[in-house]
């Protein structure tokens, strides 16, 4: 027998808890709970706590599963392109992994985080483990609480231009050119992500979304996309949401191809990444 679906979440500012209702009343419940900023609400919660709250919970939105021809061709492109790049970059990845371990011993060269993907058919949240090359010192997540007051990003995201957790030299370089993101091609090949789509969010970020921002979860997240091809970390949270919702409305194979080249251009230039 299938497990019962949890009710949709309501988000108090200090300490999250499951409630009743749907994502449509998330705005009003968040507003009454604390500090609201456009499409997000400030909340104090760890990623592990947020992930626990999201498992089996109703998102209040439904996945976009129409346009079968477009989604089928896009999936074929994802498999072929990610598989080819994984093979081509296998040896350089081994070299980079060795360089990371030499520059920052004490942990492996790969790092994974729980991220939130496209919601399931029944509207419940889908969490998966996203892979990256490690660009920060071991146990960087445990240092986050000491740095949260230095956050330079608006919205639920956390960004510091000169993050002290970044490995000197190689860590800064691979982050600036998004080389640390390349292992996400494994997620693309597995079907958890796509080459192009919204940025995959952390669980604690999702719990701070309003109903409008939650619309980002109707499609698969991507390695690249409108946000990655644009201002990247220099963009505001509201700007990222606007770009992602515009992409969802206008998505096509031609548009996806343009964003692939735009993302590659941003990777080479390093503009807006830190």
């Amino acid at each position: 027998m299938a497990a019962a679906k949890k009710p949709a979440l309501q988000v108090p500012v200090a300490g999250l808890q499951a409630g009743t209702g749907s994502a449509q009343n998330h705005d009003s419940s968040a507003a009454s709970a604390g500090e609201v900023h456009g499409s997000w609400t400030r909340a104090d919660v760890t990623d592990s706590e947020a992930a626990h709250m999201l498992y089996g919970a109703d998102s209040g939105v439904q996945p976009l599963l129409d346009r079968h021809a477009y989604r089928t061709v896009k999936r074929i492109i994802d498999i072929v392109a990610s598989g080819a790049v994984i093979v081509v970059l296998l040896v350089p990845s081994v070299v980079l992994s060795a360089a990371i371990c030499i520059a920052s011993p004490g942990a492996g060269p790969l790092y994974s985080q729980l991220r939130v993907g496209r919601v399931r058919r029944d509207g419940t949240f889908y969490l998966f483990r996203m892979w990256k090359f490690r660009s920060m010192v071991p146990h960087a997540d445990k240092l986050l609480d000491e740095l949260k007051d230095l956050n330079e990003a608006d919205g639920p995201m956390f960004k510091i231009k000169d993050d002290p957790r970044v490995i000197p030299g190689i860590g800064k370089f691979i982050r600036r050119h998004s080389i640390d993101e390349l292992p996400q091609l494994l997620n693309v090949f597995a079907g958890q992500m796509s080459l192009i789509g919204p940025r995959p969010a952390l669980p604690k970020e999702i719990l701070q979304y309003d109903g409008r921002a939650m619309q980002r979860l109707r499609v698969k997240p991507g390695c690249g996309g409108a946000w990655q091809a644009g201002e990247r970390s220099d963009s505001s949270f509201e700007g990222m949401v606007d770009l992602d919702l515009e992409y969802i409305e206008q998505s096509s194979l031609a548009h996806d191809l343009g964003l692939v080249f735009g993302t590659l251009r941003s990777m080479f230039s390093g503009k807006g990444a830190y």
Side-chain angles (χ1 to χ4, degrees):
M1 181 181 296
K5 184 167 62 173
K6 291 182 185 177
L9 298 175
Q10 294 184 14
V11 186
V13 168
L16 305 185
Q17 62 184 23
T20 57
S22 65
Q24 280 67 36
N25 64 23
H26 176 86
D27 298 359
S28 57
S29 63
S32 62
E35 188 178 0
V36 178
H37 304 259
S39 293
W40 66 285
T41 305
R42 189 180 302 282
D44 184 14
V45 63
T46 65
D47 266 321
S48 59
E49 292 170 338
H52 177 74
M53 300 305 301
L54 291 180
Y55 279 122
D58 183 12
S59 67
V61 299
Q62 293 296 314
L64 288 178
L65 299 177
D66 55 355
R67 303 180 63 195
H68 298 288
Y70 165 68
R71 290 192 299 111
T72 299
V73 174
K74 183 172 182 176
R75 179 61 187 140
I76 292 172
I77 293 173
D78 283 345
I79 293 172
V80 174
S82 63
V85 176
I86 289 170
V87 171
V88 169
L89 294 182
L90 184 59
V91 173
S93 295
V94 171
V95 175
L96 177 59
S97 296
I100 291 171
C101 291
I102 292 171
S104 178
L110 293 177
Y111 170 76
S112 68
Q113 280 183 322
L114 276 178
R115 297 285 179 132
V116 182
R118 183 182 64 193
V119 295
R120 301 180 186 274
R121 288 181 177 270
D122 63 356
T124 56
F125 292 100
Y126 169 67
L127 282 77
F128 67 97
R129 191 158 291 280
M130 188 188 79
W131 292 94
K132 304 176 73 172
F133 281 119
R134 183 168 63 87
S135 62
M136 293 187 174
V137 297
H139 313 303
D141 287 344
K142 296 181 179 179
L143 303 175
L144 189 59
D145 283 344
E146 302 173 13
L147 301 171
K148 61 183 180 181
D149 291 338
L150 302 177
N151 188 17
E152 298 175 16
D154 75 331
M157 297 185 296
F158 180 86
K159 292 286 185 180
I160 303 177
K161 285 186 178 179
D162 296 312
D163 196 323
R165 300 173 299 164
V166 175
I167 302 170
I170 190 169
K172 188 171 184 179
F173 177 80
I174 64 175
R175 286 175 68 86
R176 181 173 180 80
H177 296 283
S178 298
I179 297 171
D180 60 324
E181 312 281 354
L182 290 177
Q184 291 170 30
L185 293 171
L186 296 171
N187 297 111
V188 174
F189 192 81
Q192 299 160 327
M193 295 177 62
S194 182
L195 290 176
I196 296 297
R199 169 188 171 272
L202 292 161
K204 65 182 178 183
E205 295 174 356
I206 295 298
L207 286 177
Q208 299 176 76
Y209 280 11
D210 73 348
R212 178 172 179 271
M214 202 74 75
Q215 299 295 317
R216 301 176 70 248
L217 304 183
R218 301 185 71 194
V219 299
K220 284 185 182 180
C223 292
W227 179 77
Q228 296 91 328
E231 296 179 344
R232 300 164 88 186
S233 296
D234 288 337
S235 172
S236 67
F237 174 73
E238 295 291 340
M240 182 188 73
V241 172
D242 289 342
L243 287 172
D244 287 338
L245 296 187
E246 181 180 344
Y247 164 74
I248 293 172
E249 287 292 324
Q250 301 179 358
S251 57
S252 67
L253 292 177
H255 191 34
D256 287 352
L257 183 60
L259 289 176
V260 167
F261 286 113
T263 300
L264 291 173
R265 183 171 59 248
S266 294
M267 289 178 64
F268 284 115
S269 71
K271 181 181 178 182
Y274 47 85

